[in-house]
Amino acid sequence: MNNYILSKAMRFAAQRFRHNRGESTRVRQLTYSHHKAAIKTPSPDSTCFAIRTIRVSKPRNKPMFLFFFLFVFVLSNLSPSSSQNIFNFSSSDSPWRPNQSKFLLSPNSTFAAGFRLVPNSRNLYTFSIWYNISVNTIVWSANEKSPVSNGGSLSISSAGQLRLNDSSGENLWPSQDIATGNSSSTVLSLQDDGNLVYGRWESFRRPTDTILPTQKINGTVLVSKNGKFRFGNSTELFSVPSGSTYWNSDNVLQELDNTGKLTKANTGTVLSSDFGDATFRRLTLDDDGNLRIYSFDPRDSKWIIVWQALQELCSIPGLCGENSICTDDGFNSTSCVCPPGFKNNNSQDTACQRKIEITNTGKTKFLQLDYVKFSGGSNLTDLKAENFSICRAKCFANPKCVAFGFKYDGKRYCVLQDELKFGYWSPGTEMVTFLRVDNLETDQSNFTGMTNLLETICPVRISLPLPPEDSNTTTRNIAIICTLFAAELISGALFFRAFLKKYIKYRDMARTLGLELLPVGGPKRFTYAELRAATNGFSNLIGRGGFGEVYKGELPDHRVVAVKCLKNVAGGDTEFWPEVTIIARMHHLNLVRLWGFCAEKGVRILVYEYVPNGSLDKYLFRVGRVGSSGPGMELDPDREDSGGDGMPVLDWDIRYRIALGVARAIAYLHEECLEWVLHCDIKPENILLGDDFCPKISDFGLAKLRKKEDMVSMSRIRGTRGYMAPEWLKSDPISPKADVYSFGMVLLEIVSGSRNHDPRGSVLNSEEWYFPKWAFDKVFKEMKVEDILDGQIKNSYDSRAHFDMVNRMVQTAMWCLQDRPEMRPSMGKVAKMLEGTVEITEPKKPTIFFLGEE
């Protein structure tokens, strides 16, 4: 419209000047120009006008002179921009076409919405929302996969339906059934938080690849712009082409706020690197498959990464093509390289192909690629080869094997590859891939690490003196030899004495300063005097067990600690300190944390974190409690303290959380530690409860510190005989399955609330009664699961709400209590059984060897 008015005014002015030839006024140059202005409006194109050079001589005709300046005044008051900013879109504004330069603003002008040109296109548009501070930052699009041309439009129909029509009239608006309203009153508006709203329809409920602050994440799905990656279930990232999950959050992500805090379920949080700064933020699933939090830097006017889900980008599957290896430079960029013996297909593809095809598998060799792993392919089974030669032979004998992976960690890891997919280089893989190539291949491996042996040969020339000439004076020779021998003996004795004095001096100094044989980053070493002062002379005794007595104390930094004074510890300092260091490096939510130790003058003390709620047995087996199996013995579930001892009763949800936490902790000790650990004494007394009843296992790793005779005594005489696996009494080899048996007994006690040696009203003698067998008969034969439940909360048991959870716990316990170790599942599988992620088949009745089987 402005261009039209301007052209009409210029044409009219030119005609008036031609009719006035007698006038000396002349216009030398009247120009009309367009330029793009970088202003803080959402309009990508603005038009303005300028009169460049106007020279006017002395006016002779005053009316004509006034007319000319009126013309200039009209030009100067024309609108400088052809864009239109609106704050809501109604049916009266329909249709909204892509070439109208119309933009919908939020009330605070932080966000804008409208038609945006698709990159590298001149006439295809998407209807999008973006941050008004940067027009390139699109946070939502309605039709990203189906852009419209100039013939498309956004409109509100007479029936109140919001429609995004393409040139053929097809409605492309997402969730068309919800995007309805009253055509006369419902409007499309953009809120201050970036949420586009029309009636009951909201863009926050249908995100594309970005989550904005205050937007709820629960239940939403993010898809990267290239469509290759998804973020689903609010917890996991997975590749769409392969369907494989490559990242999992420990808890469900819920919401991102303006300070940079990403809230998780169960009060968990993720904090960005600039947490606390008030700035614009967004959570985006990028095209490389990584989930990142971006923060806008107003000084450099750009978005910066303040958090990302994966630090190693190459662990994301699909970044490189087949037969290619992904490498990460550490600066959020990757590159794809071909392994030796391969070359690029073409300049546009990241896949690689062999230089020399393998025609005869018998004439092949292997090239060593250190720290390279291929995670894709149909054959990725761990063969558990005894050694490297066996693993290599299995691949060589398999004509489909193109490579094999091997780890030099003694765990017999061997994987055969029939395809080279999702390859990446990272020292964190701890793996070496041996690539199969033809014997004629001349390429050498450039992926080398610390697995190559270094051979050093240092030639040393040794020359012996010539023997002295024979002497006839035998006595003199003997005297000389004896004198030299005596001198050497005395010198050696004096030297050894001096060395011993200095060694004792420096040893005492090192013990005093706590520097002897302590690795960097190990636990803190306390002196005996420090711990004596912290525990007020070891006066506050809070526990006593097979490993020693436990005292409560407070360190100078006001940390409350539990100080365990060990007894009957085997070995000296050189054996004690490494074991303590290993225990201190075990970090898990459900393990009691070791903070330090003391080792001086024959004293061995461990300093743990203090767990305030005590051990699990105090809540399950209350003092003076009568068995709940008989009539009239059930406790009132409405009372917070059913036992009268001031402690709350654990409900079914808390008991399930305790069982699952203990299972995960034992699985961590068995399967995830660098050096796997057997607990050997799992029982309710060694399960401590935190403020929120989070379980923490204590006394782990201490079995190695005990003398062998004390271990035998502990397992047979201590009050934990009910938790020992049958192999302890049959002198069979002890494996992690012994801990699985003990956990199964504890799990059954959590459900029943009674000791495993309590007959629960059975008519059998205590010598013939076996707790797991009795529970099996009640649940799987008599179908009376209520008979084994804890009387403290038996009345609160709801078969509809609690049956699945209790049934999983009982079935898992039965599998753990099988008398043969090979029948019991691993602790990793036990945790999955409790989580419900694996199917649990009906177990066999547990028996013990001296009772026999029915």
Side-chain angles (χ1 to χ4, degrees):
M1 179 62 72
N2 292 339
N3 297 347
Y4 177 79
I5 296 174
L6 178 62
S7 60
K8 285 291 187 181
M10 291 178 63
R11 189 177 296 113
F12 178 76
Q15 292 175 356
R16 295 296 298 171
F17 280 128
R18 291 194 196 99
H19 289 308
N20 246 333
R21 297 187 180 184
E23 301 293 329
S24 61
T25 305
R26 62 192 182 93
V27 178
R28 290 188 57 193
Q29 186 176 9
L30 180 63
T31 62
Y32 158 61
S33 65
H34 297 267
H35 67 84
K36 293 184 179 180
I39 57 177
K40 190 179 180 181
T41 68
S43 174
D45 298 297
S46 300
T47 305
C48 61
F49 312 93
I51 302 296
R52 293 183 57 192
T53 306
I54 301 177
R55 294 184 61 188
V56 183
S57 63
K58 185 177 180 180
R60 295 182 181 180
N61 191 328
K62 188 175 296 184
M64 193 63 205
F65 178 76
L66 293 176
F67 170 78
F68 177 74
F69 277 97
L70 180 61
F71 167 72
V72 174
F73 176 78
V74 171
L75 288 182
S76 64
N77 282 277
L78 289 175
S79 173
S81 173
S82 60
S83 64
Q84 180 183 359
N85 299 331
I86 60 176
F87 291 95
N88 56 66
F89 175 75
S90 61
S91 59
S92 61
D93 299 320
S94 299
W96 181 351
R97 301 196 180 277
N99 56 0
Q100 286 182 326
S101 298
K102 182 186 296 184
F103 300 96
L104 180 63
L105 295 182
S106 61
N108 58 4
S109 298
T110 300
F111 295 93
F115 286 98
R116 290 291 304 273
L117 271 172
V118 175
N120 303 322
S121 175
R122 295 184 176 180
N123 60 350
L124 293 178
Y125 298 84
T126 61
F127 190 86
S128 305
I129 303 172
W130 63 88
Y131 266 108
N132 200 9
I133 54 173
S134 174
V135 296
N136 294 323
T137 310
I138 294 178
V139 298
W140 181 85
S141 294
N143 58 325
E144 186 174 10
K145 302 300 180 184
S146 304
V148 299
S149 61
N150 288 325
S153 66
L154 180 70
S155 62
I156 299 177
S157 67
S158 59
Q161 185 182 29
L162 183 64
R163 299 179 59 87
L164 178 60
N165 299 325
D166 59 7
S167 56
S168 64
E170 181 183 357
N171 186 9
L172 304 177
W173 193 261
S175 303
Q176 305 170 12
D177 55 334
I178 302 178
T180 58
N182 192 320
S183 61
S184 60
S185 60
T186 307
V187 297
L188 179 68
S189 61
L190 185 60
Q191 297 180 351
D192 284 340
D193 54 3
N195 188 15
L196 189 66
V197 178
Y198 181 79
R200 294 185 297 111
W201 187 93
E202 299 181 13
S203 63
F204 269 14
R205 296 182 180 177
R206 297 156 187 86
T208 51
D209 66 338
T210 298
I211 295 292
L212 294 174
T214 71
Q215 182 176 355
K216 302 297 182 183
I217 305 178
N218 294 14
T220 60
V221 176
L222 299 183
V223 182
S224 60
K225 282 186 170 60
N226 57 13
K228 294 182 178 180
F229 305 97
R230 280 177 175 263
F231 174 68
N233 300 327
S234 302
T235 57
E236 60 184 10
L237 293 171
F238 60 92
S239 170
V240 175
S242 65
S244 58
T245 300
Y246 56 89
W247 180 81
N248 267 295
S249 173
D250 52 355
N251 283 305
V252 174
L253 302 185
Q254 292 182 331
E255 182 181 341
L256 173 68
D257 65 10
N258 290 310
T259 63
K261 181 172 72 173
L262 184 60
T263 306
K264 295 183 178 181
N266 298 329
T267 68
T269 57
V270 171
L271 302 181
S272 64
S273 60
D274 64 343
F275 171 69
D277 295 346
T279 183
F280 301 113
R281 302 180 185 274
R282 57 187 173 93
L283 177 66
T284 301
L285 177 59
D286 291 328
D287 284 346
D288 61 2
N290 207 351
L291 187 66
R292 297 183 176 96
I293 297 178
Y294 287 89
S295 174
F296 184 75
D297 186 356
R299 293 171 297 183
D300 297 334
S301 297
K302 65 179 182 180
W303 293 94
I304 59 174
I305 300 173
V306 294
W307 176 84
Q308 58 185 4
L310 290 101
Q311 302 303 320
E312 289 196 48
L313 298 183
C314 285
S315 61
I316 301 174
L319 295 184
C320 293
E322 190 172 2
N323 302 326
S324 182
I325 299 175
C326 176
T327 60
D328 187 355
D329 62 358
F331 296 97
N332 289 305
S333 63
T334 60
S335 59
C336 301
V337 297
C338 292
F342 287 76
K343 62 181 180 180
N344 287 105
N345 286 339
N346 53 64
S347 58
Q348 302 297 328
D349 192 3
T350 60
C352 302
Q353 62 181 5
R354 289 185 181 272
K355 295 179 181 179
I356 302 176
E357 293 294 335
I358 298 177
T359 57
N360 186 355
T361 56
K363 296 181 179 180
T364 56
K365 62 181 179 180
F366 292 94
L367 297 180
Q368 180 173 329
L369 309 180
D370 291 342
Y371 303 136
V372 173
K373 180 178 182 180
F374 289 92
S375 58
S378 59
N379 184 10
L380 292 176
T381 304
D382 185 1
L383 301 179
K384 296 294 184 184
E386 294 296 331
N387 52 47
F388 169 78
S389 299
I390 295 177
C391 185
R392 182 182 183 277
K394 288 185 177 180
C395 181
F396 194 83
N398 188 349
K400 294 184 179 180
C401 179
V402 297
F404 70 92
F406 189 78
K407 289 185 178 182
Y408 293 97
D409 57 0
K411 296 183 180 179
R412 303 183 299 168
Y413 181 85
C414 173
V415 170
L416 305 187
Q417 302 276 163
D418 57 0
E419 292 180 285
L420 299 179
K421 288 184 177 180
F422 308 150
Y424 68 97
W425 177 91
S426 172
T429 61
E430 301 178 355
M431 181 174 172
V432 183
T433 294
F434 292 87
L435 186 62
R436 194 173 195 173
V437 296
D438 193 87
N439 281 338
L440 299 178
E441 182 59 60
T442 59
D443 283 0
Q444 298 296 322
S445 174
N446 54 353
F447 293 90
T448 57
M450 297 304 295
T451 59
N452 292 331
L453 297 178
L454 300 178
E455 296 183 358
T456 304
I457 300 177
C458 301
V460 178
R461 295 181 179 179
I462 301 176
S463 60
L464 297 176
L466 295 175
E469 296 180 0
D470 293 338
S471 174
N472 297 326
T473 312
T474 305
T475 305
R476 185 182 66 179
N477 292 341
I478 294 176
I480 293 174
I481 294 174
C482 291
T483 303
L484 293 176
F485 177 76
E488 290 180 359
L489 187 62
I490 295 172
S491 300
L494 293 176
F495 175 78
F496 179 75
R497 183 171 179 270
F499 169 77
L500 190 60
K501 289 177 64 177
K502 288 201 174 280
Y503 170 77
I504 295 174
K505 175 182 177 182
Y506 286 113
R507 185 194 62 183
D508 295 340
M509 183 183 301
R511 286 182 174 179
T512 302
L513 299 178
L515 302 176
E516 187 174 2
L517 297 177
L518 282 181
V520 177
K524 181 180 179 181
R525 178 172 181 171
F526 295 92
T527 64
Y528 183 79
E530 288 176 332
L531 297 182
R532 183 178 180 86
T535 58
N536 195 18
F538 299 100
S539 59
N540 190 359
L541 180 65
I542 59 175
R544 180 182 289 110
F547 289 100
E549 298 175 337
V550 184
Y551 301 90
K552 182 178 179 182
E554 183 176 356
L555 299 178
D557 58 2
H558 302 294
R559 283 186 298 171
V560 180
V561 295
V563 179
K564 179 185 287 290
C565 298
L566 300 180
K567 60 181 180 180
N568 298 327
V569 177
D573 294 347
T574 55
E575 292 83 7
F576 178 71
W577 288 333
E579 295 299 333
V580 170
T581 302
I582 292 174
I583 296 173
R585 288 178 179 174
M586 296 177 186
H587 300 308
H588 193 274
L589 175 65
N590 302 113
L591 293 180
V592 178
R593 183 73 180 275
L594 177 66
W595 282 343
F597 70 98
C598 172
E600 61 179 50
K601 300 178 182 179
V603 176
R604 300 291 183 267
I605 301 177
L606 299 180
V607 181
Y608 290 97
E609 66 171 314
Y610 177 71
V611 184
N613 280 337
S615 57
L616 176 62
D617 63 302
K618 297 178 181 178
Y619 295 85
L620 295 179
F621 322 122
R622 300 179 181 273
V623 178
R625 174 188 168 196
V626 183
S628 60
S629 59
M633 298 302 178
E634 296 181 0
L635 303 176
D636 185 2
D638 297 329
R639 293 181 56 190
E640 182 183 9
D641 177 18
S642 299
D645 51 7
M647 287 190 284
V649 174
L650 305 180
D651 60 22
W652 289 114
D653 292 332
I654 293 179
R655 296 186 186 216
Y656 171 73
R657 282 169 40 205
I658 292 173
L660 183 58
V662 173
R664 288 172 175 170
I666 302 175
Y668 169 82
L669 294 175
H670 287 182
E671 303 168 6
E672 299 179 29
C673 292
L674 294 178
E675 181 176 346
W676 62 273
V677 175
L678 291 183
H679 192 287
C680 298
D681 196 17
I682 296 173
K683 57 183 179 179
E685 288 79 356
N686 286 337
I687 300 174
L688 307 181
L689 302 179
D691 290 327
D692 55 351
F693 291 97
C694 176
K696 291 179 180 289
I697 297 179
S698 65
D699 286 358
F700 58 92
L702 298 184
K704 289 186 177 181
L705 300 178
R706 296 294 297 254
K707 296 179 181 178
K708 186 174 182 180
E709 56 270 19
D710 294 328
M711 285 292 294
V712 175
S713 175
M714 173 195 70
S715 61
R716 300 196 180 195
I717 299 178
R718 287 182 63 205
T720 56
R721 61 181 181 88
Y723 305 95
M724 292 186 303
E727 52 262 34
W728 281 101
L729 301 179
K730 292 191 292 184
S731 300
D732 290 343
I734 302 302
S735 68
K737 297 300 181 69
D739 284 349
V740 176
Y741 183 92
S742 302
F743 173 77
M745 194 67 73
V746 172
L747 183 59
L748 210 54
E749 290 181 341
I750 292 176
V751 174
S752 65
S754 60
R755 290 283 189 186
N756 58 70
H757 51 76
D758 180 10
R760 293 289 293 266
S762 174
V763 297
L764 297 175
N765 296 328
S766 59
E767 292 80 7
E768 301 175 355
W769 189 79
Y770 184 45
F771 184 43
K773 178 181 177 183
W774 171 82
F776 183 90
D777 292 340
K778 287 291 183 180
V779 175
F780 297 100
K781 286 189 176 181
E782 301 178 16
M783 300 299 178
K784 296 179 180 180
V785 68
E786 294 84 357
D787 287 355
I788 72 168
L789 301 182
D790 189 350
Q792 299 179 88
I793 55 172
K794 182 176 181 180
N795 291 340
S796 64
Y797 173 76
D798 187 350
S799 59
R800 292 175 298 177
H802 300 137
F803 174 77
D804 181 64
M805 176 172 60
V806 174
N807 186 53
R808 258 188 292 133
M809 294 172 70
V810 174
Q811 284 186 319
T812 303
M814 293 302 166
W815 276 113
C816 294
L817 291 167
Q818 297 297 310
D819 61 321
R820 289 187 295 173
E822 62 270 15
M823 294 290 293
R824 305 170 201 153
S826 65
M827 281 308 304
K829 186 174 182 180
V830 169
K832 293 181 180 179
M833 292 166 70
L834 289 175
E835 292 170 353
T837 56
V838 297
E839 182 181 359
I840 307 177
T841 59
E842 183 172 340
K844 182 182 177 182
K845 178 190 289 189
T847 61
I848 197 163
F849 67 95
F850 56 78
L851 292 180
E853 299 184 9
E854 291 184 357

